[in-house]
Amino acid sequence: MSIVPKETIEVIAQSIGIANLSPDVALALAPDVEYRLREIMQEAIKCMRHSKRTVLTADDVDSALSLRNVEPLYGFASGDPLRFKRAVGHKDLFYIDDKDVDLKDVINAPLPKAPLDTGVVAHWLAIEGVQPAIPENAPVEAIVAPSEIKRSEHSKEDGLPVDIKLPVKHVLSRELQLYFDKITALIVSRSDSILFKEALESLATDSGLHPLVPYFSYFIADEISRSLNDLPLLFALMRVVRSLLRNPHIHIEPYLHQLMPSMITCIVAKRLGHRIADNHWELRDFAANLVASVCRRFGHVYHNLQYRLTRTLLNAFLDPSKAMTQHYGAIQGLAALGTSVVRVLILPQLETYMQLLEPEMQLEKQKNEMKRKEAWHVYGALMCAAGKCLYERVKLFPSLLHPPTRQLWRSNGRVATKMPNKRKASTSHLLQQPPLKKLAADGPVSSIPPISMPTSMQVAADGFPTPSESGIRPSSSTGQLSNESISGGSRKERSGGKAPTPSTVLAQAWKEDLDAGHLLASLFELFGEGILSFIQPPEMSFFL
Amino acid sequence: MEEEELQKAVYAYLRKKGFRQTELVLQEEQNRLSSSAQSDLAVSRLDNDPARYHDGYSKLRSWAYSSLDLYKHELLRVLYPVFIHCFMDLVAEEHMQEARTFFHTFREDHELMHLRDLQKLEGILSPSHLEEMELARSLRQNKVKIKLCEYSYDLLLQYLQKTQSVTMLGIINEHINFEVSAGQPSSISDDVDVVALVGSSQDIAKQINQKEVRWGLLEDSVEERLERPVSDSEKPEGENKEVDPEDSKQKRSVEGGKQGVSVKKLKKDKLVGATGKNIRSETSTVSIAPRVKPELTLPVMTTEVEQSILEDLRNRVQLSSLALPSISFYTFINAHNSLNCSSISHDGSLVAGGFSDSSLKVWDMSKIGRPTKTSNSQGENESVESEHLLGLEEGKRSYTLFQGHAGPVYSATFSPFGDFLLSSSSDSTIRLWSTKLNSNLVCYKGHNYPVWDVQFSPVGHYFASCSHDRTARIWSMERIQPLRIMAGHLSDVDCVQWHANCNYIATGSSDKTVRLWDVQSGECVRIFIGHRSMVLSLAMSPDGRYMASGDEDGTIMMWDLSSGRCVSPLMGHNSCVWTLAFSCEGTLLASGSADCTVKLWDVTASMKVPRMEENKASSTNRLRLLKALPTKSTPVYTLRFSRRNLLFAAGGLSKQA
């Protein structure tokens, strides 16, 4: 009948030493106990309200008890909220977790830090009704409009006279307006000054910029669509985008749809900049990395973001009618998205594409110096992408250091250094590569014709029988089973594909290996020795 | 058996003596007695069957729910009182088990409207509880008034007669007064009456609310005086001359003794009018609000204070729905959840916090935090600033610590000119502190229970307090006994507020009503019914016409003092409304809540809402909410408009939010 069962009363009676409480008494007491409990809670809630709190504390209950002239409960006034634990095996039985404390420990423990003294700080919650964007205030609502719309819809549902809603006014404070004007002026006119660097820093760190984001994103989109000829400006804009993306206080997601097209334009536009000397390659790389970082950050929120991006890029890449510059951008964009994208999307097309590209690169077929240069750029980018992909694949193999590798590396280096001055012009664009790789990438230029498929196979085949390696080659997946027979067998399989495998697991592992081998082979076929520079010395030695 | 033998003996005796007549009469009487006893027994057996409540109510309920749509909501209104009285009858007859099952079976029907009452009633488990609980008692004692249209009433009567449900009829007769009106049934949204089923009899409330409330502003207020200097601002040298004689007159009137002040003032006013200072009479006609005379003897302002007020009034920013105020927010940090209340002086230079560790701390904001404060507050607080360094000598504390209370401090209030501070505590005392001397001046003992709130009157000197002992009291600073005790609330009096003309105080209570009391007579002159939970905050409009009250659920209600009616409920907050403040011209209402927002409401728009639309509050509310300003997880404890219409807010940073 009452929420306090009579068993509870009996238990409490026993705990205070009344052993033989008659059931009638318990039954009669139970309702009254409940009533008193409710009464005390009612008073405690009053105390809570007058302490301007919405959470009931043990102090409130104590005050309520003293209001009723009852002795307060001792031992609960810890200040912290009490932690209740569920009794094992009971659904709705809780107890307070009360640990035994050794007095010695308490005495010996160093004094805790004195709590900070209460203080009062002042800030502007609103200035003439507008909330300034300062860290003391709650972050400004990103978009006010939807709720307004919802409201008006709601009022319509009510079937009431429709109130005319004024268009939503987004009031921008004077300071923010000034800031915006300054920044945009800097972007347009003096993007090489130190001041601009500081502006970028400010954009990346300032907490109060949120209200400006829509204006910035509109400005960026607008400027990019208007001035594709002005390379420094485009660069400055991309840097602004990067700063905005980096700012932790900005909630940029709602504006991505406006920024993404601008960024993609900077990757795959046909012409960027109006002079031949303009280094638009660099801008494309920069924008590609930017887009990739956006994908990494928001990819989980917008599932189709990366899909749409790759589709756009792939279309640009696969369309033979597009200019070489566009192809370059597409490759860089895809490469920046990661090696798996390259593997899935670029590598299958590689062979056909190379057939298309090769004539463009050759002096005798493509007379236009400019076009040829572009083709070489594309070639470099493609190789870079493929090489990185290969590098990732190969990295799965154990790293091992071996004296022979160095020798090989040297020889490779020798190949590279043979023609350092031949294609200097094309080296400049591959900034992100270490110099050696860069040189190596240029290396094959002259050596493609002589190196052919058989030789590469031969090189690979040459590498296998080296007995010194077999013992020390624990693959990542076969780690513990790295004895000679297995590796020997698998090696055989790889070279010949005929030897039986000890287990399917191993087979799978070596299949991967095999893939890599094939990959290497095919890439080698396409790019020549240059591709080898992407394989780290140890792995390289393993292949050779 | 013995009785029968006795009877036989009596009969035998009568027969022997030959009293034939007497024997017959006796026999007849005996028969009648026994038969009536039998029939009584039968009736009472029927009556005592606890199931009849359940049956009767469930039949009535299903009938009401299946009644005609047009009349349904009126008939449904009858159900709630019947329900609670059935329950209480069952309890009174000690059918606990049945009462419980009955309550739980039908509880859901009424949860939407009466959740809080139900929670309270749920706890009633024995007849003694009925006596003890004030809500139950008042429900039992008073009749509920329900408005029905003629036809619904007929329907109900027909049903009750046809089904012979005597129990239900009994309950309805006993506890419900029907107010039958001819014509169409009332609209659904008039349910306010049902909500008001909180115990206090509607009739009494109605009767009380018929009394006259003179809500006009005081004559000869400072604001009025302001209008003169403004009107002849071309010749500022004349301004001083005009103010000065005023003051000398006032001083004279003080010398004339307290009793005579109001009389003398009156005379003085006449004198002023007679001497032909036309400007004065002109300005008083400008404002529409009627003027009233003060019922209390008012303290006298010093010239400097008046000058500073006039200066402030001249520099006041005009606020409206288009010109919103600036808000300066004071955040209490590291308060460790022990901050109970805060108060801000009129110019925002002093901030007081009352803590649950019995301490009261005062910060001088002109010294810390913001050396370059707004120019206006710097000008305002010069007088306060002087010699205030005393408190800072003890350690590096940024505040002045006032110790004296022996329990959590629940309320603090600055005097209008910032030189005194009052605090009330759970030790049932109120203490007066001097912010200049940094010491306790007086301890007022009078309440018997924790004092929830204390407020200085708009002119200072007097203050009002309210307590858990269900009373509100009026005090003056110089006496340690209260001047008036206002008793009448059915539960704790949780908040108190002065009317702008100092002749009335309003109190909000846990009994969900707000009452208005005449300070001079101590009578209750208005009862405002409509809140659905404990009233936590009150504010009076500066023109004295309206009052706003905020409750535990986040509802704010705007009341018209003269009619005692709710002008409009303002919904928007979703947690306790801790504080309310009107802007100085009364155009805006600011509310601060536990949901960590400050909301600004347009008062003028809410007043203009035509009567027709009032019921459809949901849409009009939204229009009236001008701005919601969220804080960073800081519940807003106090709001205060400075005389220049700068809004100050204070709250304690809470980490859990």
Side-chain angles (χ1 to χ4, degrees):
Chain A
M1 166 169 108
S2 139
I3 54 166
V4 181
K6 77 175 199 310
E7 287 78 15
T8 310
I9 305 292
E10 281 162 1
V11 168
I12 292 168
Q14 277 167 16
S15 73
I16 56 168
I18 305 169
N20 52 348
L21 191 78
S22 79
D24 290 346
V25 172
L27 213 56
L29 269 176
D32 201 53
V33 167
E34 187 190 334
Y35 180 80
R36 299 298 150 197
L37 275 176
R38 283 173 184 276
E39 191 181 9
I40 286 165
M41 285 336 278
Q42 179 190 314
E43 300 303 318
I45 287 168
K46 276 180 197 165
C47 290
M48 172 186 83
R49 292 291 181 224
H50 285 286
S51 300
K52 303 238 186 333
R53 267 184 280 112
T54 45
V55 179
L56 198 70
T57 65
D59 282 341
D60 294 327
V61 180
D62 278 352
S63 322
L65 288 170
S66 66
L67 274 182
R68 295 278 162 207
N69 283 327
V70 183
E71 188 88 343
L73 301 164
Y74 298 105
F76 296 101
S78 66
D80 296 332
L82 297 170
R83 275 186 198 83
F84 288 92
K85 280 198 162 179
R86 181 174 290 174
V88 181
H90 293 272
K91 205 167 59 186
D92 49 0
L93 184 59
F94 294 85
Y95 65 96
I96 295 165
D97 192 21
D98 209 3
K99 276 190 202 133
D100 288 337
V101 180
D102 193 354
L103 207 57
K104 229 188 273 169
D105 293 347
V106 177
I107 293 167
N108 291 337
L111 283 175
K113 250 191 222 166
L116 291 169
D117 204 357
T118 314
V120 175
V121 288
H123 73 270
W124 289 109
L125 183 67
I127 296 168
E128 288 174 1
V130 181
Q131 209 161 13
I134 48 175
E136 286 92 339
N137 281 333
V140 186
E141 281 286 308
I143 300 159
V144 196
S147 60
E148 293 279 335
I149 291 163
K150 218 184 278 168
R151 274 183 208 164
S152 59
E153 276 172 6
H154 199 264
S155 66
K156 267 174 207 162
E157 278 165 17
D158 289 349
L160 295 166
V162 179
D163 310 308
I164 296 158
K165 297 272 174 197
L166 293 169
V168 182
K169 265 189 193 160
H170 192 81
V171 185
L172 210 54
S173 74
R174 183 97 193 98
E175 291 83 355
L176 282 177
Q177 279 181 33
L178 271 176
Y179 182 88
F180 180 74
D181 291 344
K182 283 264 180 210
I183 296 274
T184 47
L186 267 179
I187 294 170
V188 174
S189 57
R190 301 169 55 201
S191 59
D192 49 351
S193 64
I194 302 166
L195 201 58
F196 181 65
K197 280 205 181 98
E198 277 164 10
L200 287 176
E201 190 58 31
S202 153
L203 282 172
T205 52
D206 228 317
S207 60
L209 295 181
H210 195 95
L212 284 180
V213 176
Y215 298 92
F216 271 122
S217 55
Y218 177 77
F219 172 78
I220 289 162
D222 190 46
E223 281 295 313
I224 285 185
S225 61
R226 270 197 303 157
S227 46
L228 277 175
N229 289 332
D230 191 352
L231 193 70
L233 176 65
L234 292 175
F235 232 113
L237 289 168
M238 282 299 111
R239 283 186 209 280
V240 170
V241 172
R242 189 181 60 173
S243 290
L244 290 176
L245 283 169
R246 264 169 41 193
N247 193 327
H249 306 284
I250 287 181
H251 189 67
I252 205 156
E253 280 171 69
Y255 308 101
L256 277 181
H257 70 98
Q258 206 166 11
L259 288 174
M260 284 304 274
S262 312
M263 286 191 269
I264 294 172
T265 306
C266 283
I267 301 175
V268 293
K270 195 171 178 188
R271 273 181 67 90
L272 294 167
H274 61 287
R275 283 173 302 165
I276 303 165
D278 276 345
N279 193 350
H280 59 91
W281 313 105
E282 204 177 327
L283 175 64
R284 288 172 201 274
D285 295 349
F286 186 86
N289 281 328
L290 214 52
V291 168
S293 75
V294 170
C295 271
R296 274 194 294 278
R297 225 174 98 191
F298 302 102
H300 60 282
V301 188
Y302 300 102
H303 300 289
N304 60 352
L305 179 69
Q306 182 156 358
Y307 168 71
R308 277 160 59 186
L309 179 66
T310 47
R311 203 182 47 189
T312 314
L313 293 175
L314 199 62
N315 282 343
F317 173 56
L318 292 181
D319 190 345
S321 63
K322 290 262 162 67
M324 275 299 155
T325 47
Q326 283 167 294
H327 286 178
Y328 174 84
I331 293 165
Q332 284 294 12
L334 289 169
L337 287 173
T339 51
S340 52
V341 175
V342 175
R343 194 175 74 241
V344 175
L345 296 175
I346 296 187
L347 293 188
Q349 318 290 343
L350 204 54
E351 214 160 330
T352 35
Y353 187 76
M354 285 307 275
Q355 287 168 4
L356 201 81
L357 189 63
E358 232 162 296
E360 294 288 319
M361 296 193 297
Q362 283 162 8
L363 190 63
E364 48 277 12
K365 298 238 173 88
Q366 179 56 264
K367 298 288 186 227
N368 189 334
E369 170 86 7
M370 192 64 205
K371 289 248 174 84
R372 208 166 59 236
K373 224 168 167 180
E374 283 174 2
W376 276 109
H377 267 293
V378 174
Y379 178 77
L382 209 52
M383 186 164 71
C384 232
K388 272 188 192 154
C389 180
L390 181 69
Y391 172 70
E392 283 296 318
R393 300 291 303 175
V394 172
K395 222 167 56 174
L396 292 172
F397 301 134
S399 59
L400 27 94
L401 273 171
H402 244 271
T405 58
R406 270 186 222 137
Q407 189 199 344
L408 179 101
W409 188 238
R410 268 206 304 278
S411 69
N412 203 25
R414 185 165 39 75
V415 174
T417 43
K418 260 198 255 174
M419 49 296 238
N421 48 357
K422 276 199 175 173
R423 299 224 57 89
K424 243 184 197 161
S426 65
T427 59
S428 56
H429 73 281
L430 296 162
L431 282 177
Q432 69 272 45
Q433 298 177 24
L436 192 61
K437 279 187 183 172
K438 211 192 300 169
L439 288 174
D442 292 333
V445 172
S446 59
S447 49
I448 282 178
I451 296 175
S452 56
M453 160 90 178
T455 50
S456 77
M457 281 309 280
Q458 198 190 331
V459 171
D462 280 350
F464 293 138
T466 331
S468 59
E469 279 175 40
S470 55
I472 353 165
R473 208 191 55 196
S475 114
S476 56
S477 50
T478 56
Q480 70 276 35
L481 297 162
S482 63
N483 56 51
E484 208 173 331
S485 70
I486 291 168
S487 50
S490 50
R491 234 185 293 130
K492 266 184 231 153
E493 185 206 17
R494 193 145 58 88
S495 49
K498 281 171 193 167
T501 43
S503 74
T504 43
V505 181
L506 281 176
Q508 186 55 42
W510 287 113
K511 194 103 178 287
E512 292 276 303
D513 201 354
L514 187 68
D515 282 350
H518 280 316
L519 182 63
L520 177 64
S522 62
L523 286 179
F524 197 83
E525 180 190 349
L526 292 170
F527 293 110
E529 230 169 46
I531 205 73
L532 293 179
S533 60
F534 288 97
I535 307 168
Q536 274 187 355
E539 285 91 12
M540 176 76 94
S541 72
F542 154 63
F543 277 111
L544 293 175
Chain B
M1 278 292 123
E2 212 178 55
E3 219 170 61
E4 258 172 50
E5 269 167 17
L6 198 75
Q7 255 174 26
K8 272 179 188 166
V10 170
Y11 285 132
Y13 174 79
L14 287 173
R15 237 173 273 151
K16 204 167 77 186
K17 289 279 176 186
F19 289 106
R20 179 79 191 140
Q21 206 73 27
T22 322
E23 195 196 334
L24 275 175
V25 172
L26 188 71
Q27 212 158 12
E28 208 174 303
E29 203 167 62
Q30 202 70 41
N31 282 340
R32 207 172 49 225
L33 205 78
S34 65
S35 73
S36 74
Q38 266 171 9
S39 69
D40 268 0
L41 207 70
V43 168
S44 71
R45 192 179 48 76
L46 190 75
D47 260 6
N48 278 339
D49 181 16
R52 76 204 145 93
Y53 285 105
H54 196 287
D55 292 347
Y57 180 76
S58 61
K59 273 183 200 153
L60 179 67
R61 178 171 167 270
S62 50
W63 171 77
Y65 274 107
S66 59
S67 58
L68 291 172
D69 278 347
L70 190 57
Y71 307 99
K72 195 192 264 178
H73 68 268
E74 284 196 333
L75 293 170
L76 290 180
R77 268 184 229 169
V78 180
L79 287 180
Y80 177 64
V82 174
F83 168 71
I84 50 175
H85 284 289
C86 279
F87 171 67
M88 285 192 285
D89 281 354
L90 279 169
V91 172
E93 288 167 24
E94 306 204 7
H95 299 296
M96 293 308 141
Q97 191 64 55
E98 289 79 5
R100 270 285 153 127
T101 32
F102 174 78
F103 193 78
H104 286 292
T105 320
F106 300 110
R107 184 195 154 111
E108 273 180 23
D109 295 351
H110 310 288
E111 263 176 356
L112 187 68
M113 294 287 281
H114 308 279
L115 184 63
R116 274 162 212 277
D117 284 346
L118 289 178
Q119 279 169 350
K120 275 189 190 158
L121 291 171
E122 202 177 13
I124 301 178
L125 292 157
S126 79
S128 64
H129 294 159
L130 283 179
E131 288 298 307
E132 220 169 309
M133 186 188 275
E134 101 243 346
L135 173 71
R137 211 171 50 222
S138 62
L139 283 173
R140 294 298 261 183
Q141 280 165 1
N142 298 310
K143 281 193 165 190
V144 180
K145 194 179 66 190
I146 291 181
K147 273 189 206 162
L148 284 183
C149 76
E150 238 169 353
Y151 187 67
S152 322
Y153 185 64
D154 286 349
L155 278 178
L156 184 65
L157 281 189
Q158 270 173 20
Y159 167 78
L160 290 172
Q161 279 159 9
K162 206 168 59 192
T163 55
Q164 300 276 307
S165 39
V166 189
T167 322
M168 292 301 116
L169 192 61
I171 286 174
I172 288 171
N173 275 338
E174 200 178 339
H175 299 291
I176 301 178
N177 258 351
F178 287 108
E179 195 177 83
V180 181
S181 55
Q184 290 297 303
S186 55
S187 73
I188 296 172
S189 53
D190 274 357
D191 276 353
V192 186
D193 291 338
V194 186
V195 179
L197 185 71
V198 280
S200 69
S201 165
Q202 296 263 313
D203 289 334
I204 295 173
K206 196 160 218 175
Q207 206 181 329
I208 286 173
N209 286 355
Q210 242 123 51
K211 292 180 190 169
E212 187 198 4
V213 171
R214 290 180 298 157
W215 48 266
L217 291 182
L218 288 181
E219 348 180 276
D220 190 36
S221 65
V222 186
E223 253 120 66
E224 236 175 276
R225 265 176 257 166
L226 159 78
E227 278 156 29
R228 249 170 323 147
V230 170
S231 60
D232 54 18
S233 54
E234 291 163 19
K235 34 179 183 176
E237 72 278 3
E239 180 186 321
N240 286 330
K241 278 180 194 166
E242 275 177 41
V243 174
D244 284 340
E246 280 277 338
D247 284 313
S248 59
K249 267 178 211 161
Q250 276 192 339
K251 272 170 197 155
R252 242 188 295 133
S253 64
V254 172
E255 286 159 15
K258 299 248 163 182
Q259 296 293 334
V261 171
S262 54
V263 186
K264 284 214 168 178
K265 261 193 179 165
L266 234 167
K267 281 182 187 165
K268 180 194 72 189
D269 288 347
K270 278 180 190 162
L271 197 78
V272 169
T275 46
K277 289 200 173 178
N278 298 331
I279 311 145
R280 162 131 199 180
S281 53
E282 269 170 31
T283 49
S284 60
T285 51
V286 167
S287 53
I288 322 117
R291 301 283 146 173
V292 295
K293 291 176 189 62
E295 289 174 14
L296 297 169
T297 51
L298 297 181
V300 187
M301 266 183 239
T302 59
T303 325
E304 306 96 71
V305 169
E306 197 178 312
Q307 282 300 318
S308 81
I309 294 177
L310 287 174
E311 177 68 28
D312 286 342
L313 294 184
R314 243 171 271 138
N315 291 321
R316 176 183 288 173
V317 183
Q318 293 298 316
L319 295 181
S320 67
S321 55
L322 298 171
L324 296 178
S326 298
I327 307 172
S328 177
F329 200 94
Y330 297 137
T331 313
F332 288 80
I333 50 169
N334 304 318
H336 310 289
N337 266 340
S338 66
L339 182 70
N340 284 354
C341 62
S342 65
S343 176
I344 303 168
S345 65
H346 72 96
D347 56 2
S349 62
L350 294 177
V351 183
F355 292 82
S356 56
D357 62 358
S358 322
S359 64
L360 183 69
K361 298 170 184 173
V362 176
W363 281 265
D364 188 343
M365 294 312 291
S366 57
K367 293 232 179 59
I368 54 160
R370 233 176 354 155
T372 52
K373 261 184 64 168
T374 47
S375 59
N376 67 351
S377 52
Q378 263 179 353
E380 279 172 322
N381 61 35
E382 267 167 8
S383 58
V384 185
E385 233 170 15
S386 56
E387 317 153 84
H388 198 272
L389 277 162
L390 284 169
L392 299 175
E393 283 170 9
E394 32 181 310
K396 306 166 283 184
R397 277 204 304 254
S398 58
Y399 53 83
T400 321
L401 182 63
F402 290 147
Q403 276 172 315
H405 280 299
V409 179
Y410 286 125
S411 172
T413 174
F414 278 102
S415 71
F417 312 114
D419 37 8
F420 297 107
L421 176 64
L422 276 170
S423 63
S424 72
S425 156
S426 83
D427 63 8
S428 69
T429 63
I430 301 158
R431 282 174 188 267
L432 178 73
W433 313 82
S434 162
T435 53
K436 288 192 173 134
L437 305 170
N438 290 326
S439 67
N440 190 199
L441 301 177
V442 195
C443 176
Y444 303 94
K445 293 172 183 169
H447 285 291
N448 307 320
Y449 278 106
V451 186
W452 295 135
D453 196 9
V454 63
Q455 287 296 328
F456 255 114
S457 79
V459 292
H461 191 69
Y462 299 98
F463 59 93
S465 66
C466 61
S467 157
H468 177 69
D469 63 13
R470 303 182 185 179
T471 63
R473 298 174 193 223
I474 306 281
W475 312 69
S476 75
M477 269 162 56
E478 80 235 339
R479 282 164 215 263
I480 56 164
Q481 293 297 323
L483 304 176
R484 295 282 181 280
I485 299 179
M486 278 82 170
H489 274 297
L490 301 167
S491 187
D492 299 37
V493 187
D494 295 301
C495 52
V496 65
Q497 193 56 256
W498 284 82
H499 189 263
N501 66 14
C502 298
N503 291 337
Y504 300 98
I505 62 163
T507 54
S509 161
S510 292
D511 65 13
K512 300 167 204 171
T513 60
V514 179
R515 286 173 187 242
L516 192 72
W517 310 82
D518 188 322
V519 168
Q520 188 58 40
S521 65
E523 274 179 359
C524 177
V525 290
R526 285 285 178 279
I527 300 179
F528 304 94
I529 298 169
H531 278 290
R532 293 192 190 182
S533 55
M534 171 180 177
V535 181
L536 289 169
S537 50
L538 289 168
M540 292 279 191
S541 74
D543 63 2
R545 210 174 150 181
Y546 298 104
M547 176 176 70
S549 57
D551 71 12
E552 209 180 351
D553 294 339
T555 313
I556 300 167
M557 291 203 162
M558 187 79 82
W559 306 93
D560 188 332
L561 289 187
S562 49
S563 69
R565 278 216 150 116
C566 177
V567 181
S568 60
L570 310 169
M571 318 287 195
H573 286 295
N574 45 34
S575 190
C576 311
V577 180
W578 296 134
T579 176
L580 291 165
F582 275 99
S583 71
C584 294
E585 327 78 334
T587 48
L588 294 182
L589 174 70
S591 61
S593 156
D595 63 11
C596 300
T597 54
V598 174
K599 288 190 191 252
L600 297 172
W601 309 84
D602 190 352
V603 176
T604 41
S606 45
M607 296 308 156
K608 279 178 202 151
V609 173
R611 190 77 186 88
M612 280 290 284
E613 277 179 45
E614 243 172 67
N615 297 329
K616 302 159 184 173
S618 57
S619 74
T620 46
N621 281 329
R622 296 204 177 94
L623 280 183
R624 268 178 258 132
L625 173 63
L626 291 175
K627 190 103 188 168
L629 298 155
T631 65
K632 214 171 184 180
S633 64
T634 312
V636 185
Y637 290 178
T638 315
L639 287 168
R640 172 143 194 175
F641 276 98
S642 80
R643 280 195 283 267
R644 299 186 181 193
N645 263 339
L646 179 65
L647 179 57
F648 293 103
L653 186 69
S654 70
K655 290 200 180 84
Q656 76 235 357

